[in-house]
Amino acid sequence: MAITSDEVNFLVYRYLQESGFTHAAFVFGYESFVHKSSVNANDVPPGALITFIQKGLQYLELEANLNEENTGVNGEFAALSAHDMITKDLDELKRAVQERKERAEQVKAEQDQQRGPAPAASREAAPQEIPASQVVTLEGHQSEVFICAWSPTAPLLASGSGDSTARIWDLHGLPDGPVRPTVLKHFKQAENKAKDVTTLDWNGDGSLLATGSYDGLARIWSKEGELKNTLNNHKGPIFSLKWNKKGDLLLSGSVDKTAIVWDGKTGEVKQQFEFHTAPTLDVDWRNNTSFATCSTDKMIYVCKLGEAAPVKTFQGHQDEVNAIKWDPTGKLLASCSDDRTAKIWSLTSDKCVHDFTLHSKEIYTIKWSPSGPNTANPNQRLLLVSASFDASIRLWDVESGTCVNTLTNHTQPVYSVAFSPNGEYLASGSFDRDLHIWSVKDGTLLKTFHGQGGIFEVCWNKDGDKVAACFSNKTVCVIDLKM
């Protein structure tokens, strides 16, 4: 296999874009003539450069672990750091593998004691595979589908893609024939450049859908697909947007380092917040007028409409903060980071209330269970779930600050997790192409669907009997669970 310099340049260009280095991407693209490249942007998945490098390092890692006859691995596979593989030759790597295996044997007993019982999934029988008869595949997107969300009031599913469109799928009755979507175009007819739809959110009554795009515009659509407003104050790609519970205000966060609160009816800017020093990655409402933002600058700010300064600042993560979520009461804020930790914060404390450190790689997303006070399931305990690039999912008891279950059947990074409305089940989607349904009560893996591409997002419908998942192979699948 050979890779050309033009292809390398394109991968570097996409990496700079995806990492929020907008100006660096522009300069690099201009000097390397990326615009003349024959590479089709829609064929290149997100994170392609990192994946390409990781694959090469994995092959080197495997070679270092081979026995002298190169016929297999001596004992348990020993992982190597990227720094080792970049700086050491093959003989040094083989010695490092042997040393690590010897050290691992010495501390194995202590590690087993610390881990406690084996993860729940590994103790259970094989899960039930979801048959094709329970799956409807929605086709029509021309590029990977990054995000999907059910309407809170009707069987309408919205999806956003790298093909510069969002789509609204009417799933009344889930017919056997093709489902015809309403296509929401995020480009003018004369334009050719792809502008990924990166985020979307329904308002509380399901009458409006907001979308955010790589072109820096937020758009508000009716449920019938009519464009109501185009919001154009951001100067860079929008990575997150959320309606408040009342549905009169829309909050967005952008690579331009700012967050904006918009009037949901007129599209006018109510207030722009400029506290971060790097791209804003996520935003989340606490109530109808206050919210939190997080960024690659490692900071979290709690802000309030009408206030010129943050009402609270949370500092403690050692790397970029990927996601933030308020609990159902609005008293606790959860965050997760590339520093491999998830943290719980309270407005009554400057330091985190809990610091969850058991993941071994970056934590991509977190979700609160729909349980405890202020929920439809008040008699169930409140849990936080975290999903990581270490391929594991962990359920945390927030009151005690302990991990109550580790779910380990995925084999690649887990990008999305979602609780069912009744709080009894958890759906997870990974780049290993598997969608899993778990029991929240005991961590049992109940059902599995094997998809045809990596999964970016999973979400439940309002009745809790269907799960949607969006894939890197340009499709969206709707699974009727009949639980």
Side-chain angles (χ1 to χ4, degrees), residues 180-438:
R180 303 296 181 189
T182 301
V183 180
L184 315 180
K185 295 182 179 180
H186 289 62
F187 59 89
K188 296 178 181 177
Q189 202 63 39
E191 295 177 338
N192 295 318
K193 292 184 178 180
K195 296 173 181 175
D196 302 357
V197 178
T198 53
T199 181
L200 48 80
D201 192 43
W202 292 94
N203 68 344
D205 64 10
S207 62
L208 297 174
L209 177 73
T211 61
S213 172
Y214 210 91
D215 62 8
L217 301 179
R219 296 171 173 87
I220 299 176
W221 314 77
S222 72
K223 64 180 180 180
E224 293 79 22
E226 177 188 356
L227 181 60
K228 292 290 189 179
N229 269 308
T230 300
L231 316 178
N232 59 9
N233 271 61
H234 280 302
K235 305 302 181 185
I238 296 172
F239 283 164
S240 179
L241 52 74
K242 305 277 176 61
W243 290 97
N244 65 352
K245 186 174 292 186
K246 188 177 178 181
D248 61 335
L249 298 176
L250 182 68
L251 170 65
S252 60
S254 169
V255 168
D256 67 9
K257 309 175 188 178
T258 74
I260 296 178
V261 174
W262 313 82
D263 186 305
K265 187 174 183 179
T266 66
E268 295 177 353
V269 174
K270 300 285 286 186
Q271 189 171 350
Q272 187 159 0
F273 298 82
E274 304 181 18
F275 305 136
H276 288 295
T277 59
T280 304
L281 295 183
D282 198 16
V283 296
D284 197 44
W285 289 99
R286 177 174 178 253
N287 51 40
N288 284 315
T289 57
S290 64
F291 59 91
T293 66
C294 68
S295 166
T296 61
D297 66 8
K298 312 174 189 177
M299 302 294 293
I300 300 169
Y301 294 115
V302 181
C303 309
K304 186 175 182 179
L305 191 63
E307 298 289 338
V311 297
K312 192 75 174 178
T313 298
F314 294 131
Q315 186 174 6
H317 280 295
Q318 302 304 308
D319 208 331
E320 59 188 62
V321 185
N322 294 317
I324 46 173
K325 296 289 183 294
W326 288 100
D327 83 324
T329 67
K331 295 179 179 178
L332 299 176
L333 181 69
S335 62
C336 65
S337 168
D338 279 359
D339 67 8
R340 308 178 183 183
T341 73
K343 302 182 191 296
I344 307 293
W345 311 85
S346 169
L347 291 176
T348 61
S349 175
D350 291 331
K351 295 183 178 180
C352 63
V353 178
H354 294 300
D355 191 7
F356 301 137
T357 61
L358 294 181
H359 281 294
S360 61
K361 290 187 179 180
E362 297 91 332
I363 304 175
Y364 187 73
T365 190
I366 45 175
K367 293 285 176 64
W368 291 98
S369 61
S371 51
N374 287 12
T375 73
N377 311 295
N379 296 323
Q380 299 177 31
R381 63 176 171 174
L382 178 64
L383 298 172
L384 181 75
V385 64
S386 57
S388 169
F389 283 7
D390 66 12
S392 78
I393 301 160
R394 290 182 179 269
L395 287 162
W396 308 89
D397 183 296
V398 180
E399 185 173 341
S400 65
T402 59
C403 179
V404 296
N405 252 318
T406 305
L407 314 179
T408 59
N409 269 64
H410 284 298
T411 59
Q412 289 194 36
V414 183
Y415 278 89
S416 183
V417 285
F419 284 97
S420 62
N422 63 9
E424 295 180 7
Y425 304 105
L426 183 76
S428 63
S430 165
F431 246 54
D432 63 10
R433 305 186 176 191
D434 285 346
L435 182 148
H436 291 329
I437 306 296
W438 313 81

Side-chain angles (χ1 to χ4, degrees), residues 4-150:
T4 67
S5 58
D6 284 345
E7 290 167 335
V8 171
N9 286 341
F10 187 85
L11 291 177
V12 173
Y13 172 71
R14 276 290 291 266
Y15 168 77
L16 291 172
Q17 278 190 322
E18 293 164 1
S19 301
F21 303 123
T22 310
H23 295 97
F26 175 80
V27 173
F28 182 82
Y30 177 80
E31 294 187 350
S32 60
F33 298 100
V34 164
H35 62 284
K36 295 183 178 181
S37 170
S38 60
V39 179
N40 185 343
N42 288 332
D43 291 338
V44 181
L49 177 63
I50 298 299
T51 301
F52 186 82
I53 294 172
Q54 286 175 337
K55 288 293 184 184
L57 293 178
Q58 285 169 1
Y59 284 122
L60 181 59
E61 188 173 44
L62 177 61
E63 189 174 5
N65 275 269
L66 289 175
N67 57 30
E68 292 182 0
E69 294 78 24
N70 290 332
T71 58
V73 174
N74 275 321
E76 185 177 348
F77 188 93
L80 294 166
S81 70
H83 180 267
D84 282 344
M85 288 185 283
I86 292 170
T87 59
K88 296 179 179 178
D89 61 29
L90 185 56
D91 289 337
E92 290 176 310
L93 292 176
K94 285 183 175 292
R95 286 195 295 272
V97 165
Q98 186 60 34
E99 291 172 0
R100 290 189 183 193
K101 287 180 177 179
E102 291 173 355
R103 286 199 303 269
E105 290 174 358
Q106 294 174 359
V107 299
K108 188 175 187 303
E110 181 182 348
Q111 289 176 333
D112 288 343
Q113 185 178 5
Q114 290 177 347
R115 290 191 187 102
S122 65
R123 302 194 301 266
E124 303 297 332
Q128 175 189 348
E129 290 199 15
I130 297 171
S133 60
Q134 290 180 228
V135 181
V136 174
T137 300
L138 308 178
E139 299 179 327
H141 280 297
Q142 301 302 306
S143 185
E144 61 265 33
V145 187
F146 297 122
I147 192 151
C148 57
W150 289 94

